[in-house]
Amino acid sequence: DIQMTQSPSSLSASVGDRVTITCRASQRIGNSLAWYQQKPGKAPKLLLYDASRLESGVPSRFSGSGSGTDYTLTISSLQPEDFATYYCQQYYSSPPITFGQGTRLEIK
Amino acid sequence: EVQLVESGGGLVKPGGSLRLSCVASGFTFSTYSMNWVRQAPGKGLEWVSSISSSSTYIFYADSVKGRFTISRDNAKNSLYLQMNSLRAEDTAVYYCARVPDIVVVPAAMGRKRYYYNYGMDVWGQGTTVTVSS
């Protein structure tokens, strides 16, 4: 099974900050990576797929990069609505589909 | 509007059973693979089970294999999860989520490789399952 490890597990930042979240896969996943945003009490929302492709309707301040086993999600200028928990997920090989453990982004 | 609506959650005793449903609307349900993903209280996302568009390929997480059964009825635009022998650790919010259909290609040693080309782009609102005596 492919294990996904996110870092950091939590992060405090201010509105306007640039933040980066990292996701590492236990083996190469060929850019088959998605990022999700989840707010309390809500379902996850797909932000990016194929590591760097923005899902329709997602603001351009969200971007993704990476290759091989290491991937990053960057928010260029944090907005109040961006404070949430973020998950990565690999879809290179299934089963199983695997998620990272999540990164909680909090207001400083 | 593209939508998934889950139902069937509730309180059940350990060892009991529950059947979750997910009704799709606003898209051609029969062309998508579907997943169940759960989230225990205060925890992260855990994939539970997947079913391909025509039910040809069905997969389960090891944690539910032999206890849960996924199925779908494309005529009714519906996805199901039959959960038997429930345990306290099955307590979670259960989400259904769609993904473009699974891709199956030949791999080494006569095996097959299964993968997707996209993330899960539509999710339901979730239904809560609580297993407690």
Side-chain angles (χ1 to χ4, degrees), chain A residues 1 32 34 36 38 41-46 49-50 55 87 89 91-101, chain B residues 35 37 39 43-47 50 59-62 95 102 113-121 123-126:
Chain A
D1 297 357
S32 295
Y36 299 89
Q38 187 180 32
K42 300 295 186 182
K45 173 188 175 183
L46 178 65
Y49 63 96
D50 289 352
E55 176 70 349
Y87 295 92
Q89 175 234 319
Y91 47 90
Y92 177 77
S93 180
S94 177
I97 293 169
T98 46
F99 292 89
Q101 78 276 19
Chain B
N35 296 280
V37 176
Q39 187 169 36
K43 302 297 185 182
L45 301 171
E46 179 190 16
W47 169 77
S50 297
F59 306 113
Y60 298 98
D62 287 344
Y95 296 101
I102 196 165
R113 178 179 164 233
Y114 308 90
Y115 64 95
Y116 295 97
N117 281 322
Y118 211 78
M120 300 181 202
D121 64 341
W123 295 65
Q125 83 288 354

Side-chain angles (χ1 to χ4, degrees), chain B residues 6-12 17-21 36 81 83 86 92-94 125-131:
Chain B
E6 301 99 334
S7 61
L11 174 63
V12 62
S17 298
L18 214 52
R19 189 193 196 208
L20 305 184
S21 299
W36 287 101
L81 186 67
M83 304 186 296
L86 282 161
V93 175
Y94 285 73
Q125 83 288 354
T127 188
T128 300
V129 172
T130 303
V131 184

Side-chain angles (χ1 to χ4, degrees), chain B residues 43-58:
Chain B
K43 302 297 185 182
L45 301 171
E46 179 190 16
W47 169 77
V48 172
S49 182
S50 297
I51 186 168
S52 63
S53 61
S54 56
S55 305
T56 302
Y57 302 104
I58 288 176

Side-chain angles (χ1 to χ4, degrees), chain A residues 9 19 23 28 32 34 39 44 49 52 54-55 57 60 72-73 78 82 85 87-90 92-93 97 99 107:
Chain A
S9 55
V19 300
C23 183
R28 298 172 70 89
S32 295
K39 296 181 178 179
Y49 63 96
S52 62
L54 209 59
E55 176 70 349
S60 59
T72 59
L73 169 69
L78 272 174
D82 299 337
T85 300
Y87 295 92
C88 62
Q89 175 234 319
Q90 69 82 19
Y92 177 77
S93 180
I97 293 169
F99 292 89
I107 301 173

Side-chain angles (χ1 to χ4, degrees), chain B:
Chain B
E1 179 190 5
V2 174
Q3 198 172 8
L4 296 170
V5 179
E6 301 99 334
S7 61
L11 174 63
V12 62
K13 289 181 169 53
S17 298
L18 214 52
R19 189 193 196 208
L20 305 184
S21 299
C22 169
V23 177
S25 60
F27 66 97
T28 307
F29 179 73
S30 61
T31 64
Y32 285 84
S33 284
M34 295 297 296
N35 296 280
W36 287 101
V37 176
R38 69 185 180 183
Q39 187 169 36
K43 302 297 185 182
L45 301 171
E46 179 190 16
W47 169 77
V48 172
S49 182
S50 297
I51 186 168
S52 63
S53 61
S54 56
S55 305
T56 302
Y57 302 104
I58 288 176
F59 306 113
Y60 298 98
D62 287 344
S63 57
V64 306
K65 203 172 293 182
R67 300 187 299 123
F68 290 11
T69 302
I70 191 172
S71 62
R72 64 190 295 163
D73 185 338
N74 287 343
K76 295 182 178 180
N77 289 340
S78 294
L79 173 73
Y80 307 101
L81 186 67
Q82 177 66 44
M83 304 186 296
N84 298 331
S85 303
L86 282 161
R87 306 166 180 167
E89 54 265 35
D90 296 318
T91 294
V93 175
Y94 285 73
Y95 296 101
C96 60
R98 82 170 191 183
V99 64
D101 212 7
I102 196 165
V103 179
V104 184
V105 296
M109 309 283 285
R111 295 176 182 172
K112 294 181 181 178
R113 178 179 164 233
Y114 308 90
Y115 64 95
Y116 295 97
N117 281 322
Y118 211 78
M120 300 181 202
D121 64 341
V122 179
W123 295 65
Q125 83 288 354
T127 188
T128 300
V129 172
T130 303
V131 184
S132 174
S133 55

